[in-house]
């Protein structure tokens, strides 16, 4: 019998927890490392929020994968970052299941689709932000 895929996840908020659930459902042995000792009940809450256009050129680095805000932070106008993180996680689980055992093939199929999603949201956020701030 094959050894289960072993996955370590840094960050136990939305992206990390969902990726953990999806990969566990795909048969992986998952450990989640969260630095905060508090229950993450304050996500999305804050008085000051910097508006960033964070976009990474790649989400896969060998066997290391970026999901959620670690990869793309589109402007808040999209109100879609949570569903993006969830999409990163669910599609990752699906790819790992589909390419059973061939992790490189799974990640090779997964990355372009999620880069496209991040880039699309980034562009959409910039359009919405510019329109609401500058009427452009
Ligand atoms: C004010 C505000 C309003 C928002 N409103 C919306 C909205 O309306 N709709 C929407 O879709 N999204 C919204 N968002 C965005 C949404 O909260 C994020 O997209 C979502 O939380 C991303 O999840 P994530 O797991 O990728 O990252 P995060 O939620 O940031 O989680 C990262 C986790 O990693 C942990 N961590 C960090 N470094 C380490 C380390 N070295 N080791 C271990 N753990 C570590 C952190 O403690 C944290 O728990 C909002 C965000 C803010 C700030």
């Amino acid at each position: 019998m094959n050894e289960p895929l072993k996955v370590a996840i840094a960050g136990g908020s939305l992206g990390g927890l969902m990726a953990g659930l999806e990969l566990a459902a795909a048969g992986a042995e998952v450990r989640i490392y969260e630095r905060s000792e508090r229950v993450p009940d304050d996500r999305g809450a804050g008085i000051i929020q910097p508006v960033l256009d964070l976009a990474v050129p790649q989400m896969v680095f060998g066997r290391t994968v970026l999901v959620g805000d670690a990869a793309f932070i589109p402007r808040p106008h999209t109100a879609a970052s949570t569903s993006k993180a969830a999409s990163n996680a669910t599609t990752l689980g699906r790819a790992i299941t589909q390419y059973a055992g061939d992790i490189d093939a799974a990640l090779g199929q997964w990355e372009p689709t999620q880069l496209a999603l991040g880039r699309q949201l980034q562009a959409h956020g910039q359009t919405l932000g510019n329109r609401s701030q500058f009427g452009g």
Side-chain angles (χ1 to χ4, degrees), residues 10-16 33-36 40 43-46 49 67-70 79-83 85:
S13 179
L14 193 113
Y33 298 89
E34 168 55 50
R35 75 173 169 188
S36 170
R43 295 295 178 258
Q49 181 194 4
V67 299
D69 281 10
S81 285
T82 304
S83 69

Side-chain angles (χ1 to χ4, degrees), residues 42-50:
D42 58 352
R43 295 295 178 258
I47 296 171
I48 298 175
Q49 181 194 4

